[in-house]
Amino acid sequence: MADRTAENLIGESSMFAGPMTATLTAMSHGDISYRHGQVLMEQLSFIPLAEAAAFEAKLLPVAKDLTVGKLAVKARRMRERAHPETLTTRTTAAIAERGAPRSAPTR
């Protein structure tokens, strides 16, 4: 296994075993898939840790009935409504990146 892959799995494991125990329980019971858990983790990474449990509690019941893609959209929208500053930060970064000069590919 590549080092980066191992690092990612360790990071995910620490999130599921720590602040995302409800998601881990839902995955363990087969209520949601591992990919559903990753979607929740991705969105939870943008909000303060103190609010993670409440956000997770709102999303887990609906996650059971949604595809991974639909869950990603719903979770992102919920997070952006709760924390609009993340949307502004990402938009500003994307605009700055589009205007940045690109280096020529190396061969």
Side-chain angles (χ1 to χ4, degrees), residues 20-37:
M20 296 184 66
T21 55
T23 299
L24 178 63
T25 301
M27 289 189 309
S28 298
H29 290 135
D31 296 332
I32 62 171
S33 71
Y34 173 68
R35 275 296 297 136
H36 283 85

Side-chain angles (χ1 to χ4, degrees), residues 46-90:
F46 290 106
I47 64 172
L49 192 56
E51 298 175 31
F55 188 79
E56 182 184 36
K58 288 179 185 176
L59 278 172
L60 271 177
V62 298
K64 299 172 184 179
D65 299 324
L66 297 175
T67 64
V68 172
K70 289 182 180 180
L71 175 62
V73 171
K74 183 168 187 69
R76 181 179 42 83
R77 286 186 181 153
M78 281 180 64
R79 183 208 17 102
E80 288 174 351
R81 274 193 292 264
H83 294 278
E85 68 279 358
T86 59
L87 179 60
T88 304
T89 303
R90 290 184 307 132

